[in-house]
Amino acid sequence: MIILHKISFQIVILMIFFISSRVFDKIKALIYKFFTYPFMNAASNPDVGLGFALLYILFVSFFWFFGLHGTNIMNGIFAPVWLYATVQNSIAFKASQSLPFIFSQGFFDGFIFLGGWGMSLGLLLITLIMGRDKQARTISKSSIAPGIFNINELVTFAYPLILNPVMAIPAIIGPCLIVIWTWFWISTGVVPGAALLIPWVAPVGVGAFITTGSWKGIILALSNLILMAVLYIPFILIANKIAKNNDTAVSLNYLGRIQFLFTGRNYAEPQAKALRLQQRAELKQSPNLQDRRVLKERYHKEWKTLHNELVVKYRQARKDKKNAKQLAKKNRKIKKT
């Protein structure tokens, strides 16, 4: 009896498993027929795909703004679509055919998530050039290196980007505008589409080159970064006013800072102006190519020396201002007591 009972129990289990597997297969088929297939078909449609891409990016940024991992949340819905598009694009790329999909995983990793969500690398660059808030500048300096590899947890939680009402508009709406900008250049055929899957930590520009196989991808990725940095400028200026009111601002010469960052020279300085004029005059008076080379080498050394002097000068100016503020703070405390 015990043996028969065990056998009958195993038969019942097998029957339940068989029936449930058939039922689940039918349920999965119905889900694919009425939900998955229409969704993927719509997302892959060139006319509708842009809307799905904008929806995806909008909610990724929206969830991140409130401290939730927007990428993981939205990838639960959209990852199958983007990966399917990537596979089809890879097959077409290998066969030297036109790519069937514009939006794929490589599109977002190579052109949109530059520095992470909110395209925060643009925010870091513009903060270092124009930002006056001490904490934001300190965080930006520390976040540039990981930001190049699209890692921005430090920016998200320490800058911070989450629950930051000033940066909400550019961080959430800005990437949507960049999606439209990128879609335009790829749809018109000026820039090749994203054909290959790339690591999400691929450096800015490198990932775009790998996924498109063209130098035009690098140009488009860098233009996206510059445009996003420009979009952050008005909001950085608002943050500067807030920092000034909170007495946490540092003084900056914006134009001179930009020149000094990219060229190592600040032509607002009298010494730099004089050296520049002298260099131009001597080069004009030296038609000989060899003499011009010697002059360029000499002036290269002089510019390097001047650069070092300016660095020391700027650092000393910062220290003097800091000491002056501390002294003023002490005097205010003494007056209160």
Side-chain angles (χ1 to χ4, degrees):
M1 288 294 294
I2 296 173
I3 295 173
L4 288 173
H5 179 71
K6 286 183 177 179
I7 293 172
S8 61
F9 179 75
Q10 290 174 355
I11 291 171
V12 170
I13 293 296
L14 288 172
M15 288 178 66
I16 292 172
F17 177 76
F18 177 74
I19 294 170
S20 62
S21 64
R22 294 294 297 273
V23 171
F24 281 124
D25 286 342
K26 287 185 178 180
I27 292 172
K28 284 192 290 183
L30 289 172
I31 290 172
Y32 182 81
K33 182 179 179 180
F34 292 104
F35 294 98
T36 307
Y37 179 75
F39 179 77
M40 293 183 69
N41 191 37
S44 60
N45 188 312
D47 298 326
V48 185
L50 176 61
F52 275 86
L54 291 173
L55 190 69
Y56 170 71
I57 288 298
L58 179 67
F59 277 99
V60 165
S61 302
F62 178 79
F63 284 125
W64 265 118
F65 180 75
F66 289 99
L68 303 172
H69 202 301
T71 313
N72 283 353
I73 293 171
M74 295 307 296
N75 277 351
I77 303 171
F78 284 92
V81 178
W82 307 143
L83 291 175
Y84 171 77
T86 302
V87 171
Q88 296 301 315
N89 282 358
S90 300
I91 294 170
F93 181 77
K94 188 176 180 181
S96 300
Q97 299 173 353
S98 60
L99 304 184
F101 301 103
I102 292 177
F103 301 103
S104 63
Q105 193 63 47
F107 176 92
F108 297 101
D109 291 338
F111 296 107
I112 308 303
F113 294 129
L114 304 180
W117 80 276
M119 301 185 71
S120 57
L121 189 58
L123 172 63
L124 299 180
L125 293 175
I126 211 67
T127 300
L128 290 177
I129 296 171
M130 300 181 65
R132 298 185 65 182
D133 185 82
K134 291 179 182 178
Q135 177 183 328
R137 289 181 59 80
T138 303
I139 295 299
S140 298
K141 289 175 184 177
S142 305
S143 303
I144 280 288
I148 293 172
F149 297 92
N150 308 318
I151 300 169
N152 72 338
E153 275 72 13
L154 189 59
V155 187
T156 301
F157 300 106
Y159 188 94
L161 265 180
I162 61 167
L163 300 177
N164 187 335
V166 177
M167 298 301 169
I169 293 175
I172 296 175
I173 304 300
C176 296
L177 300 177
I178 300 300
V179 166
I180 297 172
W181 169 261
T182 309
W183 165 82
F184 172 77
W185 291 110
I186 293 178
S187 62
T188 53
V190 176
V191 179
L196 305 175
L197 188 65
I198 58 173
W200 64 270
V201 291
V204 176
V206 175
F209 175 75
I210 294 172
T211 193
T212 60
S214 170
W215 60 269
K216 294 179 181 178
I218 302 175
I219 301 299
L220 182 57
L222 293 177
S223 72
N224 288 355
L225 182 62
I226 294 169
L227 282 174
M228 196 63 205
V230 171
L231 287 174
Y232 273 114
I233 288 176
F235 303 92
I236 285 290
L237 296 178
I238 295 171
N240 287 349
K241 288 184 179 179
I242 295 171
K244 189 175 182 181
N245 293 335
N246 295 337
D247 199 25
T248 59
V250 294
S251 60
L252 293 173
N253 177 351
Y254 294 150
L255 188 59
R257 279 276 174 177
I258 293 169
Q259 289 176 341
F260 198 69
L261 179 67
F262 290 103
T263 66
R265 306 172 186 181
N266 184 354
Y267 295 127
E269 293 286 343
Q271 297 164 290
K273 277 185 180 178
L275 187 60
R276 187 186 191 188
L277 292 172
Q278 184 181 343
Q279 181 182 3
R280 283 181 174 179
E282 290 197 22
L283 286 173
K284 282 182 181 179
Q285 294 173 3
S286 303
N288 190 348
L289 185 61
Q290 187 62 32
D291 293 342
R292 289 172 70 88
R293 284 178 181 172
V294 173
L295 279 172
K296 284 181 179 180
E297 288 178 5
R298 194 189 86 194
Y299 276 106
H300 177 73
K301 292 177 182 178
E302 290 189 23
W303 277 115
K304 194 172 181 181
T305 304
L306 180 59
H307 175 270
N308 294 334
E309 291 175 1
L310 291 176
V311 168
V312 173
K313 178 183 175 180
Y314 293 153
R315 285 178 181 171
Q316 187 60 44
R318 284 182 185 175
K319 287 180 181 178
D320 293 343
K321 186 165 185 179
K322 187 176 181 181
N323 293 334
K325 282 189 175 181
Q326 288 176 350
L327 184 61
K329 193 174 181 181
K330 286 180 182 178
N331 291 335
R332 284 197 298 269
K333 285 183 180 179
I334 291 169
K335 286 180 180 178
K336 286 180 181 179
T337 55

